Every structure is written in C-alpha cells, then in structure tokens.
Amino acid sequence: MAHELNDADEQILNLLASGRNLPQNLATKTGYSRQYVQNRLQMLKAADLVDNLGGGLYEITDDGRHRIDASSSQLDVDELRDALADARDAYESVNGDGVEDALDRMEDILDAE
C-alpha cells in the first residue's frame, strides 16, 4: 500500500530509526498529540513501514528505513537552480574564475537531470 509521508510521519520514522519507542514518547518528542501520533503509526503500519511489537511498542521496518533514506536523499532541483542563480549573481560582482568553473559544473549536473 503506497503511503505519502507527511512531516509527522518522517519525524516518527526518524525517531524509530534510533530505536523502538512508544506513541506517548513519540508524541512528546515530535510535539504532536498522542492520538495523532497513534493514528499516524496505524497508517505507517498499514503501509508496512513500522511494526507494532505489542504493548504499544513500535519499531521501524526495513521498508521504513528505505523510505526515510530515499526522502532525505532526494535532490531538490529547484532549490539547486535558485542557489546556482544566486551564485552567478555573486560571481558577476566578484569575477572569480574558480567560481565560474564550479557554477558551470553545477549547471552541467542540472542539465543531465
């Protein structure tokens, strides 16, 4: 079952990546209500991203680890393009050849996407 992770899900999975935990502890650490965290855990369990070990104790699954690893490593191309534009503007005012080479490499990476 595909599940779109929201901010709460990512926080919960990241905390569970550090070790097993209870909903009330996760709620305290994330700032969400215990009931909201419990609801998110049920959805994460249905998506096979966490396991309920009994007694309310949850742990992250291998699929859950892969999801948070994938979500944290995605390249934000728009953000990189904005940074590239800012760097080009700064370069024009500084006029450094090394900066130009680095900017050209970044542009090549974006063009390859």
Side-chain angles (χ1 to χ4, degrees), residues 61-87:
T61 63
D62 287 339
D63 287 345
R65 287 184 194 282
H66 292 286
R67 284 292 292 274
I68 58 172
D69 290 344
S71 68
S72 66
S73 67
Q74 290 178 350
L75 177 65
D76 186 340
V77 174
D78 291 334
E79 189 173 331
L80 183 55
R81 284 190 194 283
D82 289 343
L84 177 60
D86 291 345

PDB file of all heavy atoms in Angstrom, residues 61-87:
ATOM      1  N   THR A  61      10.482  -0.696  10.157  1.00  0.00           N
ATOM      2  CA  THR A  61      10.810  -1.858   9.333  1.00  0.00           C
ATOM      3  C   THR A  61      11.927  -1.479   8.355  1.00  0.00           C
ATOM      4  O   THR A  61      12.283  -0.303   8.226  1.00  0.00           O
ATOM      5  CB  THR A  61       9.590  -2.315   8.525  1.00  0.00           C
ATOM      6  OG1 THR A  61       9.212  -1.268   7.620  1.00  0.00           O
ATOM      7  CG2 THR A  61       8.418  -2.686   9.435  1.00  0.00           C
ATOM      8  N   ASP A  62      12.449  -2.484   7.661  1.00  0.00           N
ATOM      9  CA  ASP A  62      13.448  -2.195   6.627  1.00  0.00           C
ATOM     10  C   ASP A  62      12.858  -1.283   5.552  1.00  0.00           C
ATOM     11  O   ASP A  62      13.530  -0.372   5.077  1.00  0.00           O
ATOM     12  CB  ASP A  62      13.961  -3.491   5.987  1.00  0.00           C
ATOM     13  CG  ASP A  62      14.873  -4.272   6.917  1.00  0.00           C
ATOM     14  OD1 ASP A  62      15.426  -3.670   7.866  1.00  0.00           O
ATOM     15  OD2 ASP A  62      15.035  -5.484   6.682  1.00  0.00           O
ATOM     16  N   ASP A  63      11.587  -1.510   5.186  1.00  0.00           N
ATOM     17  CA  ASP A  63      10.931  -0.633   4.206  1.00  0.00           C
ATOM     18  C   ASP A  63      10.853   0.796   4.723  1.00  0.00           C
ATOM     19  O   ASP A  63      11.034   1.752   3.975  1.00  0.00           O
ATOM     20  CB  ASP A  63       9.524  -1.133   3.870  1.00  0.00           C
ATOM     21  CG  ASP A  63       9.531  -2.382   2.992  1.00  0.00           C
ATOM     22  OD1 ASP A  63      10.593  -2.704   2.408  1.00  0.00           O
ATOM     23  OD2 ASP A  63       8.474  -3.037   2.897  1.00  0.00           O
ATOM     24  N   GLY A  64      10.575   0.944   6.019  1.00  0.00           N
ATOM     25  CA  GLY A  64      10.530   2.279   6.620  1.00  0.00           C
ATOM     26  C   GLY A  64      11.873   2.967   6.559  1.00  0.00           C
ATOM     27  O   GLY A  64      11.971   4.161   6.270  1.00  0.00           O
ATOM     28  N   ARG A  65      12.932   2.217   6.820  1.00  0.00           N
ATOM     29  CA  ARG A  65      14.287   2.784   6.733  1.00  0.00           C
ATOM     30  C   ARG A  65      14.602   3.230   5.312  1.00  0.00           C
ATOM     31  O   ARG A  65      15.181   4.297   5.103  1.00  0.00           O
ATOM     32  CB  ARG A  65      15.332   1.772   7.195  1.00  0.00           C
ATOM     33  CG  ARG A  65      15.347   1.556   8.672  1.00  0.00           C
ATOM     34  CD  ARG A  65      16.473   0.619   9.092  1.00  0.00           C
ATOM     35  NE  ARG A  65      16.273   0.162  10.455  1.00  0.00           N
ATOM     36  CZ  ARG A  65      16.529   0.880  11.522  1.00  0.00           C
ATOM     37  NH1 ARG A  65      17.000   2.094  11.402  1.00  0.00           N
ATOM     38  NH2 ARG A  65      16.309   0.395  12.731  1.00  0.00           N
ATOM     39  N   HIS A  66      14.215   2.416   4.349  1.00  0.00           N
ATOM     40  CA  HIS A  66      14.459   2.773   2.946  1.00  0.00           C
ATOM     41  C   HIS A  66      13.694   4.043   2.563  1.00  0.00           C
ATOM     42  O   HIS A  66      14.216   4.881   1.828  1.00  0.00           O
ATOM     43  CB  HIS A  66      14.076   1.625   2.014  1.00  0.00           C
ATOM     44  CG  HIS A  66      14.964   0.438   2.134  1.00  0.00           C
ATOM     45  ND1 HIS A  66      16.235   0.387   1.632  1.00  0.00           N
ATOM     46  CD2 HIS A  66      14.762  -0.761   2.734  1.00  0.00           C
ATOM     47  CE1 HIS A  66      16.783  -0.781   1.899  1.00  0.00           C
ATOM     48  NE2 HIS A  66      15.902  -1.492   2.580  1.00  0.00           N
ATOM     49  N   ARG A  67      12.468   4.181   3.071  1.00  0.00           N
ATOM     50  CA  ARG A  67      11.666   5.367   2.742  1.00  0.00           C
ATOM     51  C   ARG A  67      12.288   6.640   3.296  1.00  0.00           C
ATOM     52  O   ARG A  67      12.356   7.654   2.605  1.00  0.00           O
ATOM     53  CB  ARG A  67      10.235   5.221   3.281  1.00  0.00           C
ATOM     54  CG  ARG A  67       9.344   4.303   2.483  1.00  0.00           C
ATOM     55  CD  ARG A  67       8.995   4.846   1.106  1.00  0.00           C
ATOM     56  NE  ARG A  67       8.145   6.008   1.153  1.00  0.00           N
ATOM     57  CZ  ARG A  67       6.823   5.981   1.213  1.00  0.00           C
ATOM     58  NH1 ARG A  67       6.176   4.838   1.250  1.00  0.00           N
ATOM     59  NH2 ARG A  67       6.144   7.103   1.245  1.00  0.00           N
ATOM     60  N   ILE A  68      12.755   6.607   4.545  1.00  0.00           N
ATOM     61  CA  ILE A  68      13.336   7.842   5.086  1.00  0.00           C
ATOM     62  C   ILE A  68      14.687   8.125   4.448  1.00  0.00           C
ATOM     63  O   ILE A  68      15.046   9.275   4.263  1.00  0.00           O
ATOM     64  CB  ILE A  68      13.412   7.873   6.631  1.00  0.00           C
ATOM     65  CG1 ILE A  68      14.226   6.723   7.192  1.00  0.00           C
ATOM     66  CG2 ILE A  68      12.030   7.929   7.229  1.00  0.00           C
ATOM     67  CD1 ILE A  68      14.482   6.824   8.678  1.00  0.00           C
ATOM     68  N   ASP A  69      15.427   7.073   4.100  1.00  0.00           N
ATOM     69  CA  ASP A  69      16.694   7.287   3.402  1.00  0.00           C
ATOM     70  C   ASP A  69      16.445   7.912   2.042  1.00  0.00           C
ATOM     71  O   ASP A  69      17.142   8.839   1.634  1.00  0.00           O
ATOM     72  CB  ASP A  69      17.464   5.973   3.245  1.00  0.00           C
ATOM     73  CG  ASP A  69      18.016   5.455   4.557  1.00  0.00           C
ATOM     74  OD1 ASP A  69      18.084   6.241   5.532  1.00  0.00           O
ATOM     75  OD2 ASP A  69      18.367   4.255   4.607  1.00  0.00           O
ATOM     76  N   ALA A  70      15.428   7.415   1.336  1.00  0.00           N
ATOM     77  CA  ALA A  70      15.113   7.935   0.000  1.00  0.00           C
ATOM     78  C   ALA A  70      14.595   9.366   0.079  1.00  0.00           C
ATOM     79  O   ALA A  70      14.976  10.218  -0.725  1.00  0.00           O
ATOM     80  CB  ALA A  70      14.079   7.047  -0.687  1.00  0.00           C
ATOM     81  N   SER A  71      13.752   9.655   1.068  1.00  0.00           N
ATOM     82  CA  SER A  71      13.194  11.005   1.151  1.00  0.00           C
ATOM     83  C   SER A  71      14.238  12.028   1.562  1.00  0.00           C
ATOM     84  O   SER A  71      14.173  13.189   1.173  1.00  0.00           O
ATOM     85  CB  SER A  71      11.998  11.058   2.104  1.00  0.00           C
ATOM     86  OG  SER A  71      12.403  10.855   3.432  1.00  0.00           O
ATOM     87  N   SER A  72      15.233  11.618   2.329  1.00  0.00           N
ATOM     88  CA  SER A  72      16.252  12.571   2.761  1.00  0.00           C
ATOM     89  C   SER A  72      17.338  12.769   1.715  1.00  0.00           C
ATOM     90  O   SER A  72      18.109  13.714   1.794  1.00  0.00           O
ATOM     91  CB  SER A  72      16.873  12.135   4.083  1.00  0.00           C
ATOM     92  OG  SER A  72      17.596  10.933   3.899  1.00  0.00           O
ATOM     93  N   SER A  73      17.414  11.881   0.722  1.00  0.00           N
ATOM     94  CA  SER A  73      18.481  11.998  -0.269  1.00  0.00           C
ATOM     95  C   SER A  73      18.004  12.527  -1.612  1.00  0.00           C
ATOM     96  O   SER A  73      18.779  12.608  -2.548  1.00  0.00           O
ATOM     97  CB  SER A  73      19.154  10.634  -0.460  1.00  0.00           C
ATOM     98  OG  SER A  73      18.254   9.720  -1.045  1.00  0.00           O
ATOM     99  N   GLN A  74      16.729  12.888  -1.728  1.00  0.00           N
ATOM    100  CA  GLN A  74      16.220  13.406  -2.992  1.00  0.00           C
ATOM    101  C   GLN A  74      16.785  14.792  -3.260  1.00  0.00           C
ATOM    102  O   GLN A  74      16.839  15.645  -2.388  1.00  0.00           O
ATOM    103  CB  GLN A  74      14.693  13.462  -2.984  1.00  0.00           C
ATOM    104  CG  GLN A  74      14.066  12.093  -3.023  1.00  0.00           C
ATOM    105  CD  GLN A  74      12.551  12.173  -2.971  1.00  0.00           C
ATOM    106  OE1 GLN A  74      11.984  13.224  -2.719  1.00  0.00           O
ATOM    107  NE2 GLN A  74      11.904  11.063  -3.190  1.00  0.00           N
ATOM    108  N   LEU A  75      17.216  14.989  -4.496  1.00  0.00           N
ATOM    109  CA  LEU A  75      17.773  16.261  -4.915  1.00  0.00           C
ATOM    110  C   LEU A  75      16.639  17.248  -5.171  1.00  0.00           C
ATOM    111  O   LEU A  75      15.701  16.953  -5.904  1.00  0.00           O
ATOM    112  CB  LEU A  75      18.599  16.058  -6.197  1.00  0.00           C
ATOM    113  CG  LEU A  75      19.202  17.287  -6.840  1.00  0.00           C
ATOM    114  CD1 LEU A  75      20.242  17.910  -5.919  1.00  0.00           C
ATOM    115  CD2 LEU A  75      19.832  16.928  -8.171  1.00  0.00           C
ATOM    116  N   ASP A  76      16.694  18.410  -4.567  1.00  0.00           N
ATOM    117  CA  ASP A  76      15.715  19.459  -4.815  1.00  0.00           C
ATOM    118  C   ASP A  76      16.270  20.333  -5.933  1.00  0.00           C
ATOM    119  O   ASP A  76      17.054  21.255  -5.699  1.00  0.00           O
ATOM    120  CB  ASP A  76      15.468  20.273  -3.546  1.00  0.00           C
ATOM    121  CG  ASP A  76      14.348  21.283  -3.708  1.00  0.00           C
ATOM    122  OD1 ASP A  76      14.002  21.631  -4.864  1.00  0.00           O
ATOM    123  OD2 ASP A  76      13.819  21.731  -2.684  1.00  0.00           O
ATOM    124  N   VAL A  77      15.868  20.024  -7.162  1.00  0.00           N
ATOM    125  CA  VAL A  77      16.421  20.678  -8.344  1.00  0.00           C
ATOM    126  C   VAL A  77      16.089  22.167  -8.350  1.00  0.00           C
ATOM    127  O   VAL A  77      16.943  22.992  -8.686  1.00  0.00           O
ATOM    128  CB  VAL A  77      15.923  19.987  -9.636  1.00  0.00           C
ATOM    129  CG1 VAL A  77      16.373  20.739 -10.873  1.00  0.00           C
ATOM    130  CG2 VAL A  77      16.417  18.544  -9.683  1.00  0.00           C
ATOM    131  N   ASP A  78      14.876  22.529  -7.953  1.00  0.00           N
ATOM    132  CA  ASP A  78      14.504  23.947  -7.934  1.00  0.00           C
ATOM    133  C   ASP A  78      15.372  24.729  -6.960  1.00  0.00           C
ATOM    134  O   ASP A  78      15.820  25.840  -7.258  1.00  0.00           O
ATOM    135  CB  ASP A  78      13.025  24.122  -7.580  1.00  0.00           C
ATOM    136  CG  ASP A  78      12.103  23.635  -8.683  1.00  0.00           C
ATOM    137  OD1 ASP A  78      12.544  23.634  -9.860  1.00  0.00           O
ATOM    138  OD2 ASP A  78      10.961  23.267  -8.388  1.00  0.00           O
ATOM    139  N   GLU A  79      15.620  24.136  -5.796  1.00  0.00           N
ATOM    140  CA  GLU A  79      16.467  24.808  -4.802  1.00  0.00           C
ATOM    141  C   GLU A  79      17.896  24.947  -5.334  1.00  0.00           C
ATOM    142  O   GLU A  79      18.542  25.982  -5.151  1.00  0.00           O
ATOM    143  CB  GLU A  79      16.457  24.020  -3.498  1.00  0.00           C
ATOM    144  CG  GLU A  79      17.131  24.743  -2.363  1.00  0.00           C
ATOM    145  CD  GLU A  79      16.968  24.026  -1.038  1.00  0.00           C
ATOM    146  OE1 GLU A  79      15.971  23.319  -0.837  1.00  0.00           O
ATOM    147  OE2 GLU A  79      17.864  24.187  -0.201  1.00  0.00           O
ATOM    148  N   LEU A  80      18.370  23.918  -6.006  1.00  0.00           N
ATOM    149  CA  LEU A  80      19.717  23.978  -6.580  1.00  0.00           C
ATOM    150  C   LEU A  80      19.790  25.033  -7.678  1.00  0.00           C
ATOM    151  O   LEU A  80      20.759  25.781  -7.775  1.00  0.00           O
ATOM    152  CB  LEU A  80      20.134  22.607  -7.118  1.00  0.00           C
ATOM    153  CG  LEU A  80      21.539  22.491  -7.686  1.00  0.00           C
ATOM    154  CD1 LEU A  80      22.598  22.944  -6.684  1.00  0.00           C
ATOM    155  CD2 LEU A  80      21.812  21.064  -8.130  1.00  0.00           C
ATOM    156  N   ARG A  81      18.730  25.139  -8.493  1.00  0.00           N
ATOM    157  CA  ARG A  81      18.706  26.166  -9.545  1.00  0.00           C
ATOM    158  C   ARG A  81      18.732  27.573  -8.939  1.00  0.00           C
ATOM    159  O   ARG A  81      19.414  28.463  -9.436  1.00  0.00           O
ATOM    160  CB  ARG A  81      17.477  26.001 -10.432  1.00  0.00           C
ATOM    161  CG  ARG A  81      17.580  24.865 -11.411  1.00  0.00           C
ATOM    162  CD  ARG A  81      16.439  24.892 -12.423  1.00  0.00           C
ATOM    163  NE  ARG A  81      16.345  23.648 -13.139  1.00  0.00           N
ATOM    164  CZ  ARG A  81      17.144  23.286 -14.131  1.00  0.00           C
ATOM    165  NH1 ARG A  81      18.115  24.076 -14.514  1.00  0.00           N
ATOM    166  NH2 ARG A  81      16.987  22.122 -14.731  1.00  0.00           N
ATOM    167  N   ASP A  82      17.969  27.770  -7.846  1.00  0.00           N
ATOM    168  CA  ASP A  82      17.974  29.070  -7.169  1.00  0.00           C
ATOM    169  C   ASP A  82      19.365  29.395  -6.623  1.00  0.00           C
ATOM    170  O   ASP A  82      19.844  30.522  -6.741  1.00  0.00           O
ATOM    171  CB  ASP A  82      16.953  29.092  -6.022  1.00  0.00           C
ATOM    172  CG  ASP A  82      15.517  29.104  -6.510  1.00  0.00           C
ATOM    173  OD1 ASP A  82      15.291  29.412  -7.714  1.00  0.00           O
ATOM    174  OD2 ASP A  82      14.617  28.807  -5.704  1.00  0.00           O
ATOM    175  N   ALA A  83      20.009  28.401  -6.015  1.00  0.00           N
ATOM    176  CA  ALA A  83      21.353  28.612  -5.475  1.00  0.00           C
ATOM    177  C   ALA A  83      22.336  28.914  -6.595  1.00  0.00           C
ATOM    178  O   ALA A  83      23.218  29.768  -6.452  1.00  0.00           O
ATOM    179  CB  ALA A  83      21.808  27.382  -4.695  1.00  0.00           C
ATOM    180  N   LEU A  84      22.159  28.257  -7.718  1.00  0.00           N
ATOM    181  CA  LEU A  84      23.021  28.500  -8.863  1.00  0.00           C
ATOM    182  C   LEU A  84      22.842  29.938  -9.367  1.00  0.00           C
ATOM    183  O   LEU A  84      23.827  30.629  -9.646  1.00  0.00           O
ATOM    184  CB  LEU A  84      22.707  27.499  -9.980  1.00  0.00           C
ATOM    185  CG  LEU A  84      23.472  27.645 -11.283  1.00  0.00           C
ATOM    186  CD1 LEU A  84      24.963  27.500 -11.064  1.00  0.00           C
ATOM    187  CD2 LEU A  84      22.988  26.625 -12.295  1.00  0.00           C
ATOM    188  N   ALA A  85      21.612  30.393  -9.443  1.00  0.00           N
ATOM    189  CA  ALA A  85      21.356  31.771  -9.884  1.00  0.00           C
ATOM    190  C   ALA A  85      21.969  32.776  -8.913  1.00  0.00           C
ATOM    191  O   ALA A  85      22.582  33.770  -9.338  1.00  0.00           O
ATOM    192  CB  ALA A  85      19.853  32.005 -10.022  1.00  0.00           C
ATOM    193  N   ASP A  86      21.838  32.504  -7.608  1.00  0.00           N
ATOM    194  CA  ASP A  86      22.447  33.380  -6.608  1.00  0.00           C
ATOM    195  C   ASP A  86      23.966  33.392  -6.747  1.00  0.00           C
ATOM    196  O   ASP A  86      24.609  34.443  -6.642  1.00  0.00           O
ATOM    197  CB  ASP A  86      22.065  32.939  -5.192  1.00  0.00           C
ATOM    198  CG  ASP A  86      20.600  33.170  -4.873  1.00  0.00           C
ATOM    199  OD1 ASP A  86      19.935  33.927  -5.626  1.00  0.00           O
ATOM    200  OD2 ASP A  86      20.116  32.582  -3.881  1.00  0.00           O
ATOM    201  N   ALA A  87      24.546  32.222  -6.986  1.00  0.00           N
ATOM    202  CA  ALA A  87      25.994  32.137  -7.138  1.00  0.00           C
ATOM    203  C   ALA A  87      26.452  32.885  -8.388  1.00  0.00           C
ATOM    204  O   ALA A  87      27.485  33.562  -8.370  1.00  0.00           O
ATOM    205  CB  ALA A  87      26.439  30.682  -7.193  1.00  0.00           C
TER     206      ALA A  87
END
